[in-house]
Amino acid sequence: MKYRTRLLAVFLVTVVIINSLTLGIMYYIASRSLFEEMGNNALSIAATTAAFVDADEHKSIQKPGDEKTDAYQHIKQTLTKARDANRRQDTHVANLYTMKPMMAKSSVLAYGVDSEENPENIATIDRAVKITEGRQPALDRQGADRDDFSEDEYGLWLTANSPIRDGSGNVVAAVGVDLPKSLVEKKLNRLRFAGLICFGIAVALGSVFALVYSKQASRPVRSLCQSIKAIGQGDFDVKAEGGRADEFGLIAEGVNSMAESLRQKEAVMTAFACYVSRQVLDRVLETGMLPAVQTERRRITVLFSDIREFTRTSENMRPEDVVQTLNEYFEKMVDVVVRHQGMVDKFIGDGLMAFFGAPDYDSFQEEHAVSAALEMQHELSELCKKWSSEGRCHLQIGIGINSGNAIVGNIGSAQRLEYTAIGDTVNLAARLESATKDFDVDVLISEYTYNGLKGAPFTITKKGSTTVKGRTDSVMIYSVTPLSDVKTETQSEAAS
């Protein structure tokens, strides 16, 4: 899951939880306040009505059948007026009645006068008042429901009662007031609806805020991720979004500093690769260790190439054209050597020295060297066609190849090293390159290279034994051409 998605989810869950808790607490407080308010209203109605009821008249109402007495009717009229006066939108009295001790059981309350007009619902005199256990009203004191509803045989009510006292202060009866549950529920529903509206608005605003803030908060993270991904892919010019005065800003500065450092190192490495072989560079990168002044003896195959009579050819060329021609020539030649697992050791004027079999061992170094030589001749031929169409010079090269043991490694000092090969094997290869002019061939190889070839697809022609400058012993040499170039002599015939 993305950081922004997680952040948004956390914000939304937090908003929902906080608003839910807030709404729950507010609803609890509001509902308690509503019950308190409605209970106080009912109690006020009961107390006011009780003040208008004649206690002496109520004393005369004792048994069923007294409903027809003037005292009963007078009290009923008083209750009815009070009931109707309090049937308003905010407070709707459902029942208004009086209660008194039951004649048979003084500890049980019974109905006295009822304001109800429906004969089927009128509570008759001395009928027991059946209210939820624990909520039985007391005649001698005021009381009202303030946290829940009372239940009787007629339904659920919010009830209140107030005593009726005679002139001596004695409690004769009590006025009971019933407010219907539906009235209270209606007000509670309004509270719930208002709470849900507030909750919805709060969640909507919180969601908008969470969406905006999560986008703003995740922007530096996205920038950092994109920058690090680009750096991992080698793009060191990328810049992470900075300028923030927080941890993201510090990280962005660190990433940018790292990218700049890597860019500089990449530039140094790229430049370094132009002066050392790819094999040496790869070894430095793999081991993480700088080259040391050390050498080893090993078998290698050395290739020397040189442009014939280039000095005379370049006399009529501008220096810029000479450099351009050499750069194009060496670009092709180096690619060929590297493609055949060789290592370009150095450029000597218009000449090139390369060797095969180092720094990594190559059991087919002779074939690779000869293949590289033939391909170099082919690439030069293609270059000459291009130069001829441009009115430029035509070049020809000679290549000498020799195999044998040589000292290979980093030679020089701690301040300046060169990975190269030295020894008689190298010298003989250089002499064979010079001998190509005497034998009028493009590629000459020594018998040591010839003996190392393993049935490679070349046409090899024996040129005989010769003594080269700097050596007392003669060496058998061979010219090499592609199979398609020579039709009269095969490798096997040359060997015989």
Side-chain angles (χ1 to χ4, degrees):
M1 184 183 292
K2 292 184 178 180
Y3 173 74
R4 180 185 176 186
T5 304
R6 292 201 305 270
L7 192 61
L8 179 61
V10 169
F11 280 152
L12 290 178
V13 171
T14 303
V15 167
V16 171
I17 291 176
I18 291 176
N19 281 280
S20 298
L21 290 175
T22 303
L23 179 63
I25 294 172
M26 290 182 64
Y27 176 75
Y28 175 80
I29 295 174
S31 62
R32 293 305 92 194
S33 298
L34 177 62
F35 264 98
E36 185 78 20
E37 178 187 355
M38 298 295 289
N40 288 336
N41 289 342
L43 184 59
S44 176
I45 295 171
T48 303
T49 305
F52 287 98
V53 174
D54 190 323
D56 293 332
E57 287 183 335
H58 202 285
K59 287 181 182 179
S60 65
I61 302 171
Q62 295 296 327
K63 59 185 184 302
D66 289 344
E67 293 91 349
K68 298 179 180 180
T69 63
D70 292 338
Y72 185 95
Q73 293 299 324
H74 183 261
I75 294 174
K76 181 174 182 177
Q77 185 178 12
T78 301
L79 296 178
T80 301
K81 287 182 179 179
R83 183 200 64 187
D84 294 343
N86 288 283
R87 283 186 169 177
R88 306 185 303 270
Q89 184 175 0
D90 59 333
T91 303
H92 184 90
V93 175
N95 303 308
L96 197 58
Y97 50 88
T98 63
M99 297 175 289
K100 64 182 184 62
M102 182 179 286
M103 292 179 64
K105 299 178 181 179
S106 60
S107 61
V108 178
L109 294 181
Y111 288 106
V113 181
D114 191 356
S115 63
E116 179 62 47
E117 284 114 2
N118 188 346
E120 295 180 359
N121 295 330
I122 293 176
T124 59
I125 298 172
D126 216 30
R127 180 180 177 182
V129 177
K130 298 179 181 179
I131 300 179
T132 308
E133 184 178 354
R135 291 183 175 272
Q136 290 288 339
L139 294 182
D140 60 343
R141 61 180 181 274
Q142 293 180 340
D145 291 333
R146 301 183 187 277
D147 57 359
D148 204 352
F149 298 101
S150 296
E151 184 177 5
D152 61 16
E153 65 266 37
Y154 299 107
L156 291 171
W157 315 95
L158 190 153
T159 65
N161 60 278
S162 182
I164 301 172
R165 299 178 185 275
D166 60 14
S168 301
N170 297 319
V171 176
V172 175
V175 173
V177 175
D178 290 341
L179 300 182
K181 177 185 176 183
S182 59
L183 174 65
V184 182
E185 286 290 344
K186 183 178 181 181
K187 292 180 178 293
L188 288 175
N189 288 336
R190 290 177 183 173
L191 282 177
R192 296 188 188 103
F193 181 74
L196 290 175
I197 293 295
C198 293
F199 177 78
I201 294 174
V203 170
L205 292 177
S207 300
V208 173
F209 172 78
L211 186 63
V212 173
Y213 183 77
S214 63
K215 182 178 181 180
Q216 294 292 330
S218 62
R219 179 183 298 171
V221 177
R222 293 198 306 272
S223 176
L224 289 171
C225 290
Q226 292 171 357
S227 300
I228 293 174
K229 183 177 180 180
I231 292 172
Q233 295 174 348
D235 182 6
F236 303 128
D237 294 324
V238 68
K239 292 290 183 182
E241 181 180 337
R244 295 172 60 98
D246 55 15
E247 290 81 356
F248 287 123
L250 294 176
I251 295 175
E253 291 178 5
V255 170
N256 291 335
S257 177
M258 177 184 68
E260 178 62 21
S261 177
L262 290 174
R263 188 188 65 79
Q264 294 176 359
K265 290 180 180 179
E266 179 69 12
V268 172
M269 197 66 68
T270 301
F272 184 57
C274 296
Y275 294 93
V276 300
S277 71
R278 172 53 61 179
Q279 293 93 326
V280 174
L281 179 60
D282 290 341
R283 179 161 295 184
V284 171
L285 293 176
E286 289 174 4
T287 62
M289 300 175 61
L290 295 176
V293 181
Q294 59 184 15
T295 59
E296 62 176 332
R297 177 183 290 273
R298 69 189 305 171
R299 177 180 174 82
I300 61 172
T301 297
V302 183
L303 179 152
F304 267 91
S305 73
D306 188 65
I307 301 176
R308 294 176 180 174
E309 299 183 353
F310 184 72
T311 301
R312 181 184 303 174
T313 303
S314 61
E315 287 179 352
N316 300 322
M317 299 172 60
R318 296 186 308 156
E320 295 82 1
D321 295 334
V322 173
V323 173
Q324 180 182 356
T325 300
L326 285 177
N327 285 340
E328 291 183 24
Y329 163 74
F330 283 130
E331 182 75 26
K332 293 291 185 180
M333 300 302 108
V334 170
D335 286 345
V336 171
V337 171
V338 173
R339 198 156 50 238
H340 290 276
Q341 304 180 31
M343 173 179 168
V344 176
D345 180 65
K346 61 174 67 72
F347 300 108
I348 309 170
D350 56 2
L352 178 149
M353 172 185 169
F355 52 83
F356 300 77
D360 297 325
Y361 176 74
D362 183 4
S363 59
F364 294 91
Q365 55 184 267
E366 293 86 359
E367 285 89 340
H368 291 152
V370 175
S371 296
L374 296 178
E375 189 172 343
M376 288 169 68
Q377 294 287 352
H378 174 74
E379 290 293 337
L380 178 61
S381 175
E382 296 298 319
L383 273 177
C384 288
K385 293 178 182 179
K386 173 178 174 293
W387 290 338
S388 177
S389 65
E390 297 173 355
R392 294 160 65 181
C393 64
H394 185 280
L395 301 181
Q396 186 177 3
I397 61 173
I399 299 175
I401 301 174
N402 181 41
S403 302
N405 291 326
I407 301 299
V408 182
N410 298 311
I411 298 175
S413 68
Q415 286 76 29
R416 180 68 171 88
L417 293 175
E418 181 179 9
Y419 190 88
T420 188
I422 58 176
D424 184 62
T425 299
V426 178
N427 297 334
L428 179 55
R431 298 294 182 261
L432 291 178
E433 182 278 317
S434 298
T436 57
K437 303 174 186 176
D438 301 330
F439 288 89
D440 192 26
V441 294
D442 294 330
V443 179
L444 279 179
I445 65 173
S446 70
E447 59 182 288
Y448 311 111
T449 299
Y450 173 80
N451 293 333
L453 293 174
K454 300 177 177 63
F458 312 122
T459 299
I460 301 177
T461 304
K462 182 188 293 185
K463 292 298 182 181
S465 178
T466 185
T467 302
V468 297
K469 182 179 179 181
R471 284 177 61 96
T472 57
D473 297 335
S474 62
V475 58
M476 184 68 69
I477 59 175
Y478 304 83
S479 68
V480 183
T481 58
L483 281 176
S484 58
D485 288 355
V486 176
K487 302 178 181 178
T488 57
E489 191 169 4
T490 63
Q491 181 174 341
S492 57
E493 293 171 342
S496 63

